[in-house]
């Protein structure tokens, strides 16, 4: 939530910052702002997207080689020009951009008001910048010391970059809870919420840890803790290609990412399924494998789409490895005093690796002594660093706010883990193990085939684009797929959609069914196929309009339903990876036909770094 960019060096800061903000816009797009310093600061901000900001700035002056910028997902105060970042302190000494939430901002604000500080915005950030200034002026100290001292008074989460007008050749950056990466160039530095604004300039980066403070001047970076303990900067090399963060000819990132899935799934199992297709090796779990094999219980935690991947994981681990599994929303888990045993294995699933609730749940599980693993997409993000071990999903950067390829990559990793554990625990035979590996390997080609039905999905979308409600039904592995299909539609088309276990329909949602209600039924051939046939009949008996996802060659459901999309035959262990693809396409086309911004749906943000 909120994207921040800073630059200090020899180039003009403005283009670096504006382009960086565009790359970070998936983190929030309620308002945007920049401040470029050239002796005096040029500061511009406005409600809306980065393109609105560019228009607002027009040909006004922006020269300068030091600058900061922000794209906002509103927490405190409505999205408007005044609440947009950067914020400047009352006496004009400090300018700040902030990602996170200052939880004790009301108390701090009252204290500052008693000292005659006046506030023009509703934000917690303005409180922080004034606190920094108050400490600075009172103590007659350097900007860096003032920032550090102020941060010791703050409860909450922050990634900040601060400019002091009295020291215009310095950026002070600090993090706690919200991510910050520093790009190290030749006598120049970049600061950003993630590496995407940096990668076109340098692939040498430093990921800040909680309580780190970086004092950055052209050609000089000093890293220390908030308590002034010196730190050795650990420079890492990024493996990120600029093309991966461009649209590459697609109209939208979401469509590009849907079409990337054959490759992203392949990348996720490449090197993990041996070249002779005989074995699964998960290097990231090597040291913890004995404990994982002995686990008495697995708890999968996540939010949003990642939670849906967790539900697929539950079915997989129980089926293949015979380990009891619970799947928890991270936000519920962390606050409900859960019972966690030392021989539990907690697996946190997260595309961004930064979701605040998931991070908090991890800390709780670690304190309770459980083995905590991560399944994350963003390399170097907070969750992989907080967990004992884990497996990266090599889906590549996912920019569309509605998750697509990250979901299938998460399910791919969980499938590999479940197959591996099933084999190690002796619950699947060598023969079945081989079959499942082959089934996994065949998935990318099968997805390619499904993608060929894009035009057909578009035709169906045209028919249903004006519907106001949708119901998605599935059983077994297709139940989480139904949830995910409904979530995709809600997120980007703003149509109310509900996912339900097909059999549960008769305990409520059936009352909603009439001839205007499209019902998407995932009815591919699996062990509950016959039951789903009955559920489809129940819908048709009430005049519901059914769009079915069926296995190639199926005639039973085809004859019963109104619109049919076929997917290739596969073992049910891997079938969710196929069934979700047409649902992603359906949501995409409906949203587009309704004129919605598919990559940046209203009110949402991709990386939710607040509770
Ligand atoms: C937001 C995003 C979703 C994502 C969820 C969890 O809601 O819009 O696409 O599934 O956060 O994010 P994570 O990065 O932890 O997977």
């Amino acid at each position: 939530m909120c994207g921040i960019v800073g630059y200090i060096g020899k180039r003009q800061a403005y283009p670096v910052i504006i382009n960086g903000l565009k790359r970070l816009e998936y983190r929030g797009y309620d308002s945007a702002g920049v401040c470029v310093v050239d002796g005096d600061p040029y500061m511009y901000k406005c409600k809306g997207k980065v393109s609105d900001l560019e228009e607002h700035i027009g040909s006004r002056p922006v020269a300068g080689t030091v600058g900061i910028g922000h794209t906002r997902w509103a927490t405190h105060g409505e999205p408007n020009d005044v609440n947009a970042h950067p914020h400047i302190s009352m006496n004009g000494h400090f300018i700040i951009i902030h990602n996170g939430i200052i939880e004790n901002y009301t108390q701090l604000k009252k204290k500052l008001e008693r000292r005659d500080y006046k506030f023009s915005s509703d934000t917690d950030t303005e409180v922080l910048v004034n606190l920094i200034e108050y400490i600075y002026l009172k103590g007659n100290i350097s900007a860096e010391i003032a920032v550090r001292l102020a941060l010791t008074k703050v409860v909450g989460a922050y990634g900040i970059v601060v400019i002091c007008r009295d020291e215009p050749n310095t950026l002070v950056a600090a993090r706690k809870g919200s991510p910050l990466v520093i790009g190290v160039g030749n006598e120049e530095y970049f600061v950003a919420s993630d590496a995407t604004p940096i990668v076109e300039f340098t692939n040498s980066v430093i990921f800040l840890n909680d309580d780190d403070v970086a004092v950055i001047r052209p050609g000089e970076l000093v890293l220390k803790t908030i308590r002034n303990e010196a730190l050795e900067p650990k420079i890492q090399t990024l493996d990120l290609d600029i093309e991966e963060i461009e649209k590459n000819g697609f109209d939208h990132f979401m469509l590009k990412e849907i079409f990337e899935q054959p490759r992203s799934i392949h990348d996720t199992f490449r090197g993990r399924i041996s070249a002779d297709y005989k074995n699964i090796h998960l290097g990231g779990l090597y040291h913890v494998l004995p404990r994982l094999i002995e686990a008495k219980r697995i708890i999968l935690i996540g939010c949003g789409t990642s939670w849906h991947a967790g539900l697929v994981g539950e079915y997989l681990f129980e089926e293949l490895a015979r380990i009891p599994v619970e799947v928890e929303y991270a936000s519920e888990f962390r606050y409900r005093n859960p019972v966690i045993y030392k021989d539990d294995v907690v697996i946190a699933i997260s595309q961004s690796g930064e979701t605040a609730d998931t991070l908090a749940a991890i800390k709780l599980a670690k304190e309770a002594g459980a083995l905590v693993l991560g399944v994350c997409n963003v390399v170097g993000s907070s969750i992989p660093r907080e967990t004992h071990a884990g497996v990266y999903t090599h889906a590549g950067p996912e920019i569309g706010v509605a998750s697509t390829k990250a979901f299938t990559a998460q399910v791919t990793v969980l499938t590999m883990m479940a197959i591996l554990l099933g084999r190690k625990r002796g619950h699947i035979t060598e023969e079945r193990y081989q079959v499942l590996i082959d089934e996994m390997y065949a998935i990318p080609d099968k997805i390619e085939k499904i993608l060929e039905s894009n035009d057909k999905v578009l035709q169906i979308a045209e028919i249903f684009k004006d519907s106001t409600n949708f119901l998605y039904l599935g059983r077994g592995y297709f139940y989480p797929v139904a949830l995910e299909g409904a979530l995709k539609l809600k997120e980007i088309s703003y149509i109310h959609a509900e996912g339900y276990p097909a059999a549960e329909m008769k305990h409520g949602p059936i009352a909603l069914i009439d001839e205007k209600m499209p019902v998407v039924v995932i009815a591919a051939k699996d062990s509950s196929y016959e039951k789903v046939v009955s559920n489809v009949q129940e819908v048709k008996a009430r005049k519901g309009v059914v769009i079915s996802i069926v296995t190639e060659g199926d005639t039973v459901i085809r004859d019963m339903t109104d619109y049919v999309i076929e997917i290739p035959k596969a073992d049910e262990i891997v079938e969710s990876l196929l069934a979700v693809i047409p649902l992603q396409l359906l949501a995409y086309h409906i949203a587009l036909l309704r004129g919605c911004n598919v990559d940046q749906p209203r009110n949402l943000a991709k990386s939710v770094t607040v509770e």
Side-chain angles (χ1 to χ4, degrees):
M1 327 228 92
C2 300
I4 63 186
V5 187
Y7 176 79
I8 186 161
K10 51 205 175 185
R11 311 167 195 258
Q12 285 301 309
Y14 179 70
V16 175
I17 290 167
I18 281 289
N19 290 332
L21 290 180
K22 284 182 185 162
R23 295 214 191 285
L24 290 179
E25 230 176 354
Y26 71 86
R27 302 179 66 87
Y29 29 83
D30 290 334
S31 63
V34 291
C35 175
V36 177
V37 185
D38 179 24
D40 278 339
Y42 300 117
M43 189 155 111
Y44 308 100
K45 51 187 191 169
C46 67
K47 183 180 167 178
K49 299 187 190 295
V50 179
S51 55
D52 297 312
L53 175 69
E54 280 184 293
E55 215 168 283
H56 168 73
I57 294 173
S59 56
R60 290 193 257 181
V62 283
T65 53
V66 180
I68 53 180
H70 188 271
T71 176
R72 177 170 187 244
W73 187 86
T75 58
H76 294 61
E78 64 171 284
N80 60 23
D81 296 355
V82 176
N83 289 334
H85 296 216
H87 287 280
I88 187 159
S89 57
M90 190 178 79
N91 299 302
H93 290 276
F94 286 88
I95 301 153
I96 192 171
I97 48 173
H98 168 218
N99 166 209
I101 288 187
I102 308 300
E103 288 170 13
N104 60 337
Y105 88 108
T106 326
Q107 297 95 301
L108 294 172
K109 189 171 184 176
K110 281 191 187 134
K111 279 189 191 159
L112 288 165
E113 278 169 342
R114 284 200 292 276
R115 287 159 180 86
D116 293 331
Y117 263 87
K118 303 267 180 296
F119 294 84
S120 49
S121 79
D122 309 315
T123 65
D124 50 342
T125 307
E126 195 188 6
V127 175
L128 177 57
V129 74
N130 278 328
L131 178 67
I132 295 170
E133 182 184 84
Y134 171 73
I135 292 172
Y136 172 77
L137 292 176
K138 190 164 169 245
N140 198 14
I141 49 183
S142 72
E144 170 226 319
I145 299 175
V147 171
R148 284 195 291 101
L149 289 179
L151 292 178
T152 61
K153 314 259 179 258
V154 157
V155 178
Y158 53 79
I160 56 169
V161 187
V162 179
I163 295 176
C164 176
R165 284 174 68 186
D166 309 322
E167 303 172 28
N169 259 340
T170 307
L171 293 179
V172 183
R175 105 156 237 178
K176 184 176 189 182
S178 303
L180 268 192
V181 188
I182 298 178
V184 183
N186 181 12
E187 310 230 319
E188 60 180 350
Y189 293 94
F190 308 81
V191 189
S193 301
D194 73 28
T196 54
I198 297 174
V199 64
E200 64 187 279
F201 303 106
T202 174
N203 59 3
S204 300
V205 295
I206 301 164
F207 292 99
L208 292 196
N209 291 313
D210 280 354
D211 289 336
D212 284 3
V213 178
V215 185
I216 314 168
R217 300 187 180 92
E220 185 198 25
L221 180 138
V222 177
L223 196 63
K224 49 177 68 175
T225 68
I226 191 177
R227 291 167 297 279
N228 203 23
E229 295 139 342
L231 293 170
E232 192 59 44
K234 201 171 133 217
I235 300 182
Q236 301 185 29
T237 306
L238 268 185
D239 182 17
L240 183 61
D241 192 341
I242 187 80
E243 277 168 23
E244 293 182 67
I245 52 176
E246 306 278 349
K247 284 191 198 143
N248 277 346
F250 283 90
D251 289 340
H252 299 95
F253 281 111
M254 183 178 177
L255 191 63
K256 174 188 169 230
E257 287 157 8
I258 291 173
F259 273 79
E260 271 175 351
Q261 289 174 107
R263 202 218 56 192
S264 56
I265 290 177
H266 189 262
D267 284 350
T268 299
F269 65 62
R270 195 179 41 183
R272 287 154 171 179
I273 295 180
S274 59
D276 56 3
Y277 313 149
K278 290 258 178 281
N279 275 303
I280 294 175
H281 299 285
L282 296 171
L285 299 182
Y286 182 74
H287 293 292
V288 296
L289 204 52
R291 207 166 151 193
L292 187 52
I293 293 167
E294 293 303 317
K296 295 279 179 295
R297 179 172 69 151
I298 292 176
I299 304 173
L300 296 161
I301 52 174
C303 303
T305 290
S306 297
W307 182 77
H308 294 161
L311 285 181
V312 180
E314 175 181 27
Y315 287 64
L316 290 167
F317 283 116
E318 294 204 340
E319 169 74 29
L320 298 174
R322 309 302 297 148
I323 304 173
V325 176
E326 283 169 31
V327 189
E328 301 263 5
Y329 283 116
S331 53
E332 289 297 315
F333 181 77
R334 64 179 288 198
Y335 282 121
R336 68 166 179 72
N337 197 11
V339 178
I340 310 169
Y341 299 109
K342 290 199 169 29
D343 46 15
D344 282 340
V345 173
V346 174
I347 305 179
I349 307 167
S350 173
Q351 187 287 127
S352 62
E354 299 294 349
T355 303
D357 282 322
T358 310
L359 265 167
I362 288 169
K363 286 182 187 147
L364 191 76
K366 273 168 76 181
E367 277 159 26
L371 172 68
V372 185
L373 309 178
V375 174
C376 294
N377 195 40
V378 178
V379 176
S381 56
S382 300
I383 291 177
R385 289 186 288 143
E386 278 293 331
T387 43
H388 296 119
V391 185
Y392 278 116
T393 52
H394 292 153
E398 189 181 64
I399 315 280
V401 165
S403 183
T404 52
K405 64 174 180 171
F407 172 78
T408 47
Q410 289 164 344
V411 172
T412 302
V413 165
L414 294 170
T415 310
M416 284 190 289
M417 287 175 77
I419 298 172
L420 181 65
L421 280 188
R423 184 73 196 112
K424 296 271 183 210
R425 286 167 62 91
H427 292 293
I428 49 179
T429 61
E430 181 60 27
E431 198 188 356
R432 177 90 177 120
Y433 181 61
Q434 291 306 321
V435 168
L436 291 176
I437 291 178
D438 290 346
E439 284 284 338
M440 289 224 52
Y441 224 85
I443 287 293
D445 285 347
K446 291 182 183 177
I447 293 182
E448 289 286 7
K449 199 145 181 238
I450 298 170
L451 292 170
E452 287 169 14
S453 56
N454 187 31
D455 288 344
K456 180 165 191 199
V457 179
L458 169 61
Q459 285 162 15
I460 298 175
E462 273 160 353
I463 297 163
F464 292 100
K465 69 177 174 22
D466 297 320
S467 300
T468 47
N469 291 289
F470 264 78
L471 190 59
Y472 285 70
L473 301 176
R475 300 177 82 119
Y477 290 97
F478 299 139
Y479 160 52
V481 173
L483 293 180
E484 178 59 9
L487 177 65
K488 287 293 84 86
L489 190 70
K490 278 189 275 229
E491 281 180 307
I492 60 171
S493 73
Y494 320 139
I495 295 175
H496 170 246
E498 281 192 58
Y500 245 82
E504 276 293 305
M505 175 187 64
K506 31 189 178 314
H507 300 289
I510 200 163
L512 301 170
I513 293 174
D514 60 17
E515 63 281 3
K516 292 198 210 74
M517 175 70 135
V519 182
V520 179
V521 184
I522 302 127
K525 288 259 169 64
D526 69 352
S527 47
S528 47
Y529 174 75
E530 302 300 337
K531 308 276 175 215
V532 177
V533 171
S534 310
N535 299 138
V536 171
Q537 266 155 352
E538 289 154 13
V539 176
K540 287 310 297 174
R542 274 122 195 126
K543 300 196 169 52
V545 189
V546 178
I547 304 161
S548 59
I549 312 296
V550 302
T551 305
E552 253 168 14
D554 180 301
T555 50
V556 178
I557 300 257
R558 171 179 290 277
D559 292 345
M560 288 163 60
T561 59
D562 304 83
Y563 304 92
V564 180
I565 303 165
E566 289 192 334
I567 60 173
K569 194 169 176 314
D571 192 289
E572 71 175 8
I573 295 297
V574 296
E575 253 182 330
S576 61
L577 291 167
L578 304 180
V580 75
I581 309 291
L583 306 189
Q584 296 169 344
L585 287 170
L586 185 66
Y588 170 79
H589 288 300
I590 291 180
L592 209 60
L593 290 164
R594 288 165 71 91
C596 302
N597 184 338
V598 288
D599 281 340
Q600 295 176 346
R602 71 182 179 208
N603 302 340
L604 298 178
K606 187 148 192 72
S607 180
V608 181
T609 52
V610 296
E611 294 184 18

